[in-house]
Amino acid sequence: MTTASWPRRAGNAVVGRYPERFEVYTERHLDRIPQLERLDPERRFAMRVVAQVLPFRVNRYVVEHLIDWERVPEDPLFQLTFPQPGMLAEEDFARIAALLRAGADRETLQQAVREVRAGLNPHPAGQQHHNVPWLDGRRLEGMQHKYRETVLFFPSQGQTCHSYCSFCFRWAQFVGDKSLRMASREAATLHRYLARHREVTDLLITGGDPLVMKAGNLREYLEPLADPHLEHVQTIRIGTKALTFWPQRFVTDPDADELLRLIERLARAGRHVALMAHYNHWRELETAIAREAIRRVRDAGAVIRSQGPLLAHINDDPAVWARLWRSQVKLGIVPYYMFVERDTGARRYFEVPLARAWEIYREAVQRVSGLGRTVRGPSMSAGPGKVEVQGVAEIGGERVFVLRFLQGRSPEWVQRPFFARYDERATWLDQLEPAFGEREFFFEAEYREICRRAETGGVWGA
Ligand SMILES: *Cc1c(COP(=O)(O)O)cnc(C)c1O
Ligand code: SF4
């Protein structure tokens, strides 16, 4: 396949035919991607090195229709999906590269890979331990109940994606280490937990990407939510990147219509169904099939809200975000969150200082109309909650970050401004110091207490 298949818009006409059959390439198939032949051997080898450590998976639609091979390696969609040399620390890279060059045996290589992975903070924000809910004295694996009104559910069949993002904070669960995997196959437990927790208004089905599941599987989780006894769960959100990575899911897949009918049934039962669509670049919205997928999801009665991290090499430019939000509003998508890249995996390659992240957010927001300004951020999903950088200010002669919780482990923390000493290079909450000579941020003592309680039982009672 040549670059001629990359769909260029000429008016409304789009050149190119989309694959209908899902075909995926992983680390073992790097040699079979013809487009990579244009890269020099050194770079191809570097991809193999990085792909030993971090997950790699891409499908033919992404390769043929999203990546602009004329612009590789800088192309943002290439950066989004393919392993890049700078993703590992030099010494880690050198170690894995040497083993590959020497043709090391599998066990030796795997041992080194495990050690490198362990150094990449595989579990940011205490994901695995701190937020697992309890029911009848039993921990419910595959669920998280961190914020009072929202329960996260990770169905076991939805713990992969149609393609992997090179920066994914869930990378640890994709690399095959089963102990890192958070998943549940128990639909009945989910529904029982929700029935007991009337404070829960939102269910967020997430992954991986739950829309890799067949409609029949999804139905087991979703259909009972239309039942009147679960009416307090008003909103059903589905986190997905299928609108980007495999829009065929909503258009030409054999069960595309069945999926849409399922959404429609929930919407007709009075539930707010929201696709929480992960987007990083306006180019993801350009193909005709991506637009058709968006149209069909909206026609089924779901709202599409968009969220995604700010990333060096992909979208650290206000013009990219402004165009993304403008395109989204035009297509009926509601911009929701701009995230700060998490403190895990290949963060060294993607991270953007908080001060710069705020500038990018502000400059981008200035360029869109009010309907695009529904987006909040830049927001850090950290242990205590979602913390937004509201801005940089000078107070009493001290330069500070103005911060606020968008979500907090305690609902009391939300919307209360607090201040950190300005630090040009800080990229995450744990690098910030309280301003005005205070010893701790206002929430820290209570957060320690909440963590202690969470060790022994659910945070939200029952
Ligand atoms: C972001 C998030 C939610 C949802 O928060 P909203 O502000 O309602 O979008 C729920 N649980 C966890 C763990 C989250 O990170
Ligand atoms: S779609 Fe989401 S879960 Fe899947 S690889 Fe990308 S960021 Fe990770």
Side-chain angles (χ1 to χ4, degrees), residues 144 146-147 150 152 237 336-337 386 407:
Q144 275 182 45
K146 180 169 176 177
Y147 307 126
T150 306
L152 262 56
R237 309 191 212 175
Y336 187 58
Y337 274 138
K386 281 192 172 62
Q407 274 292 5

Side-chain angles (χ1 to χ4, degrees), residues 279-296:
Y279 285 110
N280 309 98
H281 199 283
W282 55 264
R283 286 251 310 277
E284 298 168 60
L285 294 158
E286 291 291 291
T287 65
I289 193 160
R291 294 187 171 201
E292 175 67 3
I294 291 164
R295 192 189 62 73
R296 297 189 100 214

Side-chain angles (χ1 to χ4, degrees), residues 160-161 163-165 167-170 174 207-209 241 245 278:
T160 182
C161 301
S163 177
Y164 290 151
C165 306
F167 53 80
C168 179
F169 73 93
R170 295 204 171 111
F174 298 143
D209 190 332
K241 202 169 169 81
F245 282 157
H278 172 193

